[in-house]
Amino acid sequence: MKTTVSTHKLPGYGATLRTAKRLTEQAVRIVNRAVPGRMPDVEVTLTTERGMAELAAAATLALVGSTDRKATSRAEREAKQVARGVLACAIPRPDGSALVLVIADKHRDDGEFAVTLVHELVHAMQFSRKDVVERLVRDKRDALGIERQSRRQAREFLHLLEQDEREAHGKEHLARQIVPAAAA
């Protein structure tokens, strides 16, 4: 399990990057012990809202294996919409690792960052479980208009996605072990 922390189109955030590296190292250790599964190699990237949309679209297209122009524009549009409403996102990669994109400007303090990081690392652990990545790929291919999935598969995906989100929210309390002031 290898962990890297970097920035993307975020100049002048040296202190934030150092803090992120320290918090990520601690969060990976804690989440690895508390959540069932195997922690994959994780790349945490601090970025802006626009940078998150750009990187998320590229990672999604690499995951679904599409270079179709229509799918590319849909992925970019969806990534921009998602980036407006979230603090971070975790995306599995074809090589088995996970990409965690964090919008640095939307976090007021270390405690909020730690909660977000723990939440996304729980999702990274979920990617190692049986059939999770396959379900995500199938749903993304359907959303991008590449390959249809049945209604039953779509309902099952939404149910399991809700379950995964509940688990991630339930583990946010672990952030208090990293930053005691973290409010989960």
Side-chain angles (χ1 to χ4, degrees), residues 86-105:
V86 298
L87 299 174
C89 70
I91 303 168
R93 288 185 160 163
D95 64 358
S97 65
L99 174 65
V100 176
L101 301 171
V102 181
I103 300 175
D105 293 337

Side-chain angles (χ1 to χ4, degrees), residues 13-169:
Y13 277 75
T16 305
L17 180 62
R18 285 187 292 280
T19 302
K21 284 181 181 179
R22 179 178 49 81
L23 293 175
T24 300
E25 183 180 301
Q26 295 171 356
V28 165
R29 220 175 19 253
I30 289 168
V31 170
N32 202 14
R33 282 188 303 221
V35 179
R38 184 188 57 79
M39 182 66 78
D41 291 343
V42 177
E43 181 183 341
V44 177
T45 303
L46 304 174
T47 188
T48 61
E49 193 175 295
R50 183 176 284 160
M52 176 188 222
E54 179 184 312
L55 291 173
T60 299
L61 289 169
L63 182 66
V64 299
S66 175
T67 56
D68 180 30
R69 233 180 355 174
K70 194 188 294 186
T72 302
S73 66
R74 281 185 182 167
E76 289 169 353
R77 197 170 40 254
E78 181 185 311
K80 284 178 186 175
Q81 184 179 1
V82 167
R84 278 189 223 110
V86 298
L87 299 174
C89 70
I91 303 168
R93 288 185 160 163
D95 64 358
S97 65
L99 174 65
V100 176
L101 301 171
V102 181
I103 300 175
D105 293 337
K106 289 189 177 181
H107 294 85
R108 293 185 305 267
D109 57 12
D110 291 353
E112 195 174 290
F113 181 78
V115 170
T116 300
L117 198 56
V118 167
H119 182 97
E120 297 305 328
L121 288 173
V122 169
H123 287 313
M125 289 287 280
Q126 292 166 347
F127 297 154
S128 71
R129 296 179 188 160
K130 185 179 179 191
D131 297 333
V132 172
V133 174
E134 290 78 15
R135 281 192 327 249
L136 287 169
V137 169
R138 186 178 61 226
D139 186 68
K140 279 295 176 193
R141 290 180 69 82
D142 180 53
L144 298 177
I146 298 169
E147 182 180 335
R148 302 278 305 157
Q149 67 178 338
S150 70
R151 287 186 183 146
R152 190 179 122 267
Q153 289 172 326
R155 280 193 311 272
E156 177 189 13
F157 174 78
L158 289 175
H159 172 71
L160 293 171
L161 182 68
E162 212 172 273
Q163 213 173 358
D164 290 346
E165 278 299 322
R166 274 197 307 273
E167 180 186 12
H169 283 295

